[in-house]
Amino acid sequence: MEIVIMAGQLILGLSILVGLHELGHLLAAKAFGMRVEQYFIGFPPKVWSIKRGGTEYGLGAIPLGGFVKITGMIDESLDTKAMQQEPQPWEFRSKPAWQRLIVMLGGIIINVITGIVIFVALTYKNGETYLSARDAKYGIVAYELGKEIGLKTGDKIVRINGKPFEDFSDIRSSEVFLGSDSYYIVERTGADGKVEEVTIDIPNDFINKLSDKKNAGMFVEAIQPFRVGELVPGMPAEKSGLKKGDVITAVNGQPTRFYHEFQDIVKANVNKPITLTVQRPNVPQPVSLKTTVTDKGQIGFGAETLLKKTHIDYTFGQALVKGTEQAFGVVYDNIKGFGKIFRGDVSASKALSGPIGIAQNLFGGVWMWERFWFVTGLLSMALAFFNILPIPALDGGHSTLLLYEMVSGRKPSDRFLEGAQRVGMVILLSLMAFAIFNDVFKAVF
């Protein structure tokens, strides 16, 4: 069922984005009097279509894409026979270069607008909830990757790249991992009780390890006092009588004020019985419960943090600014990510994902509408960025040639455009094949 949900979200999200992208081309083309022959969501074979106003609108059986066919434009159809005929006034190639440029940018513009609208709407509806750096008052838990760069459990990260920060999650931000020569300043209490500041350098290729799925959750998190949240039906915690709202104060007599302490003790007792000491609301005396740890080192409940969270509600005007910043932040992160790849700091095989990776890592196996729209907003801005790259066959490639024509006054020959389109299609198909193979390899290994 999780696979079906992941696939369903991916198909719906891409269908919306591709449909809007191609609609941007269609509307711009029709506005300048160009003839649009076809508008399809999905690739052939054709499932359904209807003809209106000289344009065939339809759905294809392969749902991971779409296209719009504009008369007189060299596109993926490579209809060279039509291009050999005398240009007609309603054709793409007969229009001024500035009109053709707007048509080519129409899809990108729509994707940018879509991304901004989604981020603004989510920001206005939900506001922002986060753990502030000052409220992460107990410091951090350093897991394997955190220890590898020199962090220790109990450290308090007070500055990032020399600057104070507000949101605790900024320690994992793109500014840190996609930038160069990033570092933390931490306050560390020594054995003598003295507090000193220590600089922790972050390797430029550190994101390679963070992006590896086997290292998920192995960096750092805030030290958190906790209570029992939702219990998993049929798991040992529920069977033992543990209740939502209980505070586990000890396991086998060992104090567990913080969640990482509880986890350490439980994982050390895989497949063994344990005794929980629980403080229950409105019950003055501690309650003792016996349960058993599963072979996965769990007893079956979700932990609720007792750290104070900060919530901010935004007016529409504030949400407009904040949401727009978030949307363009996606583009900025993509630029920095490609820079990391080109500099050799990041492996392309770990950084790039195809449809399988997107479905698994972004959408997930549970359908949550807010996450769906958030991921769709991310993909809309990423699609706009990818399409504006000056690669033949992409909108950016076409736009680059049109800008050359506008500046030089010379239009590239149809033969050159056809060759560029073929080269671009080979590049794009190769990238897609690499991404899909990479997804399968990472899923298996």
Side-chain angles (χ1 to χ4, degrees):
M1 181 56 71
E2 286 189 359
I3 294 175
V4 173
I5 292 173
M6 286 190 287
Q9 291 182 94
L10 178 66
I11 290 171
L12 177 60
L14 288 182
S15 296
I16 292 171
L17 296 180
V18 171
L20 290 172
H21 180 92
E22 300 301 339
L23 182 64
H25 293 311
L26 179 143
L27 293 176
K30 284 184 174 287
F32 293 125
M34 301 178 194
R35 179 177 293 173
V36 180
E37 299 175 23
Q38 292 180 306
Y39 168 85
F40 268 71
I41 299 176
F43 293 121
K46 178 171 65 178
V47 173
W48 169 88
S49 72
I50 186 171
K51 198 160 188 176
R52 290 286 186 273
T55 302
E56 182 185 16
Y57 300 87
L59 297 174
I62 303 174
L64 299 178
F67 64 93
V68 60
K69 182 168 176 53
I70 302 171
T71 304
M73 176 182 168
I74 297 176
D75 56 15
E76 58 271 9
S77 68
L78 292 173
D79 187 1
T80 56
K81 180 180 286 189
M83 299 300 294
Q84 293 171 1
Q85 299 174 5
E86 191 70 22
Q88 299 299 317
W90 58 79
E91 292 188 12
F92 176 87
R93 56 181 169 162
S94 300
K95 301 296 181 178
W98 68 269
Q99 292 185 4
R100 285 180 276 137
L101 179 62
I102 292 175
V103 171
M104 294 315 307
L105 295 176
I108 295 171
I109 292 169
I110 290 291
N111 281 138
V112 170
I113 292 172
T114 301
I116 291 173
V117 167
I118 290 174
F119 279 110
V120 169
L122 290 175
T123 302
Y124 181 66
K125 177 179 181 293
N126 300 325
E128 186 178 8
T129 301
Y130 62 93
L131 173 65
S132 72
R134 65 179 176 275
D135 288 325
K137 53 188 177 182
Y138 302 105
I140 62 164
V141 183
Y143 297 111
E144 185 177 332
L145 292 183
K147 293 176 182 176
E148 187 176 303
I149 64 172
L151 291 167
K152 295 183 178 180
T153 296
D155 285 349
K156 292 182 181 179
I157 300 175
V158 293
R159 293 191 294 281
I160 300 173
N161 294 335
K163 299 177 182 177
F165 61 103
E166 168 62 18
D167 188 341
F168 180 79
S169 67
D170 285 347
I171 66 175
R172 309 182 194 91
S173 70
S174 61
E175 288 291 330
V176 176
F177 298 129
L178 293 180
S180 297
D181 303 322
S182 297
Y183 62 95
Y184 300 129
I185 300 294
V186 307
E187 289 182 350
R188 178 173 296 167
T189 303
D192 57 0
K194 292 183 179 180
V195 177
E196 61 176 347
E197 286 194 348
V198 179
T199 299
I200 304 295
D201 293 317
I202 302 168
N204 288 333
D205 62 351
F206 190 59
I207 194 171
N208 269 327
K209 295 181 179 180
L210 284 178
S211 60
D212 195 322
K213 66 178 182 179
K214 69 181 181 183
N215 291 329
M218 296 303 291
F219 184 45
V220 300
E221 64 181 23
I223 293 177
Q224 304 179 58
F226 72 105
R227 65 186 170 207
V228 176
E230 296 294 333
L231 286 96
V232 180
M235 289 286 282
E238 184 193 49
K239 293 178 181 178
S240 73
L242 198 65
K243 295 182 179 180
K244 183 177 180 179
D246 285 348
V247 175
I248 300 173
T249 59
V251 179
N252 291 341
Q254 293 179 258
T256 55
R257 183 184 179 192
F258 302 116
Y259 188 57
H260 73 279
E261 296 172 336
F262 168 80
Q263 287 182 307
D264 288 344
I265 298 172
V266 169
K267 289 177 181 178
N269 286 276
V270 170
N271 292 324
K272 295 179 181 179
I274 58 174
T275 301
L276 307 177
T277 303
V278 173
Q279 190 63 55
R280 184 160 287 169
N282 303 318
V283 178
Q285 298 299 320
V287 177
S288 182
L289 302 172
K290 294 186 181 298
T291 188
T292 302
V293 181
T294 69
D295 58 359
K296 294 182 179 180
Q298 301 171 343
I299 63 171
F301 71 88
E304 292 182 356
T305 182
L306 296 179
L307 292 176
K308 176 187 174 184
K309 294 289 185 75
T310 299
H311 179 79
I312 302 174
D313 286 316
Y314 294 106
T315 65
F316 180 75
Q318 292 170 327
L320 186 62
V321 174
K322 188 78 174 179
T324 302
E325 288 176 352
Q326 290 177 329
F328 281 102
V330 177
V331 177
Y332 184 44
D333 288 348
N334 272 277
I335 293 172
K336 289 190 292 184
F338 271 89
K340 281 272 192 182
I341 293 173
F342 292 141
R343 290 195 300 271
D345 292 338
V346 177
S347 165
S349 63
K350 291 186 177 180
L352 300 178
S353 290
I356 299 172
I358 292 171
Q360 286 182 323
N361 302 323
L362 295 180
F363 284 113
V366 178
W367 197 299
M368 299 168 60
W369 278 110
E370 286 193 3
R371 183 173 65 184
F372 169 82
W373 285 115
F374 176 77
V375 174
T376 301
L378 286 176
L379 293 178
S380 189
M381 298 303 296
L383 184 63
F385 168 76
F386 184 70
N387 265 284
I388 207 167
L389 295 176
I391 298 174
L394 288 179
D395 297 341
H398 288 288
S399 299
T400 300
L401 293 174
L402 285 167
L403 287 171
Y404 165 80
E405 179 183 342
M406 293 169 69
V407 171
S408 68
R410 297 191 300 273
K411 183 179 179 180
S413 67
D414 288 346
R415 183 176 179 181
F416 175 83
L417 294 175
E418 290 168 9
Q421 185 71 19
R422 287 190 173 92
V423 170
M425 289 177 65
V426 170
I427 293 173
L428 293 180
L429 290 173
S430 299
L431 284 173
M432 181 58 71
F434 170 78
I436 293 174
F437 173 81
N438 192 40
D439 284 349
V440 173
F441 182 84
K442 287 190 288 188
V444 173
F445 300 101

